[in-house]
Amino acid sequence: MHGGVKFYRGSAAAARSYVEADHSRADDYYLAEGSGVAERISVSLHTQGCVTKCMPERSSVMAGENYERWVAGYDVDSGQAKGRLRNDDNALRFVEVVVNGPKTWSLVAALHPDIAAAYDAAQTRAADEIVEWVAEHATTRVGPRGRQVQVPVEKIEAAVIRHYTSRAGDPHRHLHLQVNARVFAKGAWRGLHSVGVRDSIEAINGIGHAAVMCEPEFRNALAARGYTLDEAGEVEQLAPYVGGFSERSAQIVRNVDRYEAEWRADHPGQEPGPKLRRAWDRRAWADARPDKVVPADGADLVARWDNELHDLGFKPPRLPGGDPPLKDFKELKARAPTIGAINRDVAAELILLRLGSKRSAWNSADIRGEVEKLIAAIGVVAERPARLELAEDITSRVVAASRPLLDRDDVPEHIRSLTSDQVLAVEADIVKRLVARAERPTSPPGRLRVSGDLDPAQREVVSALAGDAGLLVIEGAAGTGKTTTLAAAREALEQGQVPGSGVALRSFSRVQAVSAGS
């Protein structure tokens, strides 16, 4: 699972159109008429002593009207507003993540109905697990403006929208998981602290990936047909064909984008409806593959996918006589590493190294995400309670081994306030080297012939950059001409006005790249 957090702001009706427009005409073959737009999940947290219990509850599927009401912040059952609602265009309605997987998972599900059923069930359980984790860690703010404090939520609601295809109509099983911005805490409905959800994306993605990849039913369905996964989770037998399949799909997307651009040019200020989008999908497929029959129903669609893979040279794996397919969970578990054999202290050390190689500070959600990815990569296949116990234990070990950057006990959980001894040692070494460079004697920079319309201060900066200072800091507010000054200094170096300008130019290019991106 990969991707970020989308903050949806705007009208509830537009949210419904956004969800419906995301799927292609091909999805209509899967979604029965009147099946609804989304399924609602409610999660309540009850604290007894020091133990907090998470109580998830799945509700009936919401039709379009109820979904719009839910997005707007109203209770679907009673019709009552969830607290004081904002009606402006900037009002946050929900935060969304997409539960997905490698492309090969969708391709193998398209080939085999039994794998498709196992994959869909695993994605559903992954969504439940993500919602429960978010409920346990989400916060809201209470108190007067300027003196607000974050408190845990007591109830959240989420909507799950299931799609089976991409915009191009090729296999892409994914769930839109939308956490409503109205949460219950301290006796009232309040606004979700959305920044905390955004800063938890590593845990969300990691949990979603491991929940599917370690799922016994899904792994058993793959193994029974001779398919294997690599460390990243890709189906090894289908990985070589993803590029070709996606290339043909991309051609269809480009066609649809062109039709939409032409339509919008002729209809300014209007929005295309679902029927028009479906017509574009059909036309795009016919334009991209004029020698093929456009699918008219679900059977034709699956046959189309099979033909696409066959044309690319794919053949389903054949199991040799000496290695029969796996028939049950016991045999699959025997081939996977056992949870008891995992050295949890070594795993915690590895997670610290991985975190330190990516960033200098992290939070517990970053840690949980890395732990889940590690568990999935080493091939663990286990029921959810066993995997959760392992993940939570290793996460707690890494948190204990990390070093706090803030000396206080009220730091919100989503703040990246943890680091490691290794990172601190690297930082100390960098500071030491910079101090040594700053103390190195230098000669004053000479005057350069600088082209361009630069003021005296900028000309002085160019001369300094072309000098031999070991450490040089140039600062200035936005719009003061830093980028123009850097361009002039680069030109002077390229003209070879300074001895050793070739070496300086190579170093300077990196400085200019950093400045341009700041």
Side-chain angles (χ1 to χ4, degrees):
M1 180 172 163
H2 59 85
V5 175
K6 175 184 175 65
F7 292 176
Y8 180 80
R9 306 175 191 274
S11 73
R16 178 181 176 184
S17 298
Y18 153 74
V19 167
E20 292 176 341
D22 176 75
H23 75 81
S24 75
R25 178 184 56 83
D27 250 353
D28 295 336
Y29 301 139
Y30 288 98
L31 302 175
E33 187 67 28
S35 62
V37 174
E39 185 176 8
R40 181 163 55 102
I41 305 175
S42 300
V43 179
S44 299
L45 291 98
H46 301 283
T47 302
Q48 297 177 346
C50 298
V51 179
T52 300
K53 293 185 177 180
C54 194
M55 309 289 289
E57 177 185 345
R58 278 187 171 269
S59 304
S60 59
V61 174
M62 293 185 289
E65 218 173 279
N66 281 342
Y67 173 72
E68 288 187 29
R69 189 178 300 119
W70 179 85
V71 170
Y74 291 88
D75 185 278
V76 173
D77 299 321
S78 67
Q80 297 296 315
K82 296 178 182 176
R84 186 174 58 187
L85 303 179
R86 290 176 54 181
N87 296 315
D88 58 284
D89 293 338
N90 200 42
L92 179 66
R93 303 300 184 184
F94 59 77
V95 294
E96 177 187 275
V97 295
V98 178
V99 181
N100 53 26
K103 179 78 169 183
T104 51
W105 291 4
S106 293
L107 288 176
V108 74
L111 293 170
H112 306 287
D114 53 326
I115 295 179
Y119 184 27
D120 289 345
Q123 280 196 330
T124 298
R125 285 188 283 269
D128 290 345
E129 197 171 318
I130 291 170
V131 174
E132 290 178 30
W133 188 91
V134 171
E136 292 173 357
H137 296 269
T139 61
T140 184
R141 287 167 289 187
V142 299
R145 184 182 297 273
R147 289 183 291 165
Q148 291 182 325
V149 295
Q150 291 188 37
V151 298
V153 304
E154 298 168 26
K155 181 179 181 180
I156 69 169
E157 290 188 348
V160 179
I161 298 98
R162 185 182 298 275
H163 287 160
Y164 297 86
T165 67
S166 69
R167 287 179 56 210
D170 60 325
H172 180 45
R173 280 171 144 79
H174 61 283
L175 306 178
H176 293 266
L177 182 57
Q178 300 171 346
V179 178
N180 198 286
R182 305 304 296 170
V183 297
F184 191 83
K186 298 293 183 181
W189 288 99
R190 307 173 187 275
L192 173 71
H193 186 227
S194 55
V195 173
V197 179
R198 182 200 64 192
D199 291 345
S200 300
I201 188 61
E202 293 295 334
I204 292 171
N205 284 343
I207 290 171
H209 178 68
V212 177
M213 191 165 171
C214 301
E215 169 61 39
E217 182 182 344
F218 177 56
R219 294 297 298 271
N220 198 34
L222 289 171
R225 291 192 174 272
Y227 292 100
T228 54
L229 302 182
D230 62 17
E231 286 189 3
E234 295 283 0
V235 179
E236 294 178 305
Q237 291 76 12
L238 280 162
Y241 305 97
V242 170
F245 201 100
S246 298
E247 185 177 346
R248 295 183 179 183
S249 301
Q251 184 181 4
I252 297 173
V253 173
R254 288 193 294 270
N255 288 344
V256 173
D257 289 342
R258 188 175 76 254
Y259 307 151
E260 182 173 350
E262 293 170 353
W263 184 89
R264 288 185 181 277
D266 296 334
H267 302 80
Q270 299 183 38
E271 287 296 322
K275 289 184 178 180
L276 182 57
R277 289 186 179 277
R278 286 194 287 270
W280 289 340
D281 287 336
R282 188 176 182 85
R283 177 185 168 194
W285 165 253
D287 288 350
R289 305 299 305 279
D291 57 330
K292 301 290 185 180
V293 177
V294 178
D297 57 30
D300 285 351
L301 182 66
V302 174
R304 185 193 95 183
W305 293 335
D306 288 348
N307 290 335
E308 289 282 340
L309 287 170
H310 176 75
D311 292 345
L312 293 170
F314 171 75
K315 294 181 180 179
R318 291 184 177 180
L319 295 167
D323 188 11
L326 299 172
K327 294 298 184 183
D328 54 39
F329 176 47
K330 290 183 179 179
E331 189 176 348
L332 180 62
K333 272 186 78 173
R335 299 191 180 193
T338 63
I339 289 180
I342 297 173
N343 189 319
R344 303 185 180 198
D345 288 330
V346 172
E349 292 178 8
L350 178 59
I351 296 300
L352 272 178
L353 290 174
R354 287 185 175 182
L355 289 166
S357 67
K358 294 179 180 180
R359 48 171 60 97
S360 58
W362 47 82
N363 57 27
S364 60
D366 296 326
I367 296 173
R368 179 62 180 269
E370 287 294 335
V371 170
E372 294 283 4
K373 286 188 285 187
L374 176 63
I375 291 173
I378 62 179
V380 169
V381 178
E383 300 289 353
R384 176 183 172 184
R387 195 196 94 249
L388 288 184
E389 185 279 328
L390 175 65
E392 290 170 358
D393 181 59
I394 297 177
T395 298
S396 65
R397 292 172 189 243
V398 178
V399 170
S402 297
R403 296 290 173 263
L405 291 171
L406 299 174
D407 188 18
R408 49 193 296 180
D409 57 6
D410 61 345
V411 180
E413 186 181 17
H414 71 94
I415 300 295
R416 291 186 167 93
S417 60
L418 301 174
T419 189
S420 67
D421 290 333
Q422 294 91 334
V423 171
L424 293 175
V426 170
E427 180 184 12
D429 181 62
I430 292 174
V431 171
K432 181 180 178 181
R433 290 170 181 264
L434 291 176
V435 170
R437 285 191 173 195
E439 293 176 346
R440 190 175 67 191
T442 60
S443 57
R447 293 291 174 184
L448 298 177
R449 297 188 304 275
V450 180
S451 60
D453 186 16
L454 301 181
D455 61 33
Q458 289 175 312
R459 291 178 179 274
E460 188 175 344
V461 168
V462 172
S463 297
L465 287 169
D468 62 351
L471 178 65
L472 183 65
V473 177
I474 305 297
E475 63 178 359
T480 55
K482 296 189 300 297
T483 302
T484 301
T485 305
L486 289 172
R490 181 183 180 89
E491 182 181 350
L493 290 168
E494 286 176 338
Q495 293 174 355
Q497 297 185 32
V498 182
S501 59
V503 176
L505 182 59
R506 287 193 295 272
S507 300
F508 182 74
S509 297
R510 293 191 292 271
V511 174
Q512 192 172 20
V514 171
S515 174
S518 63

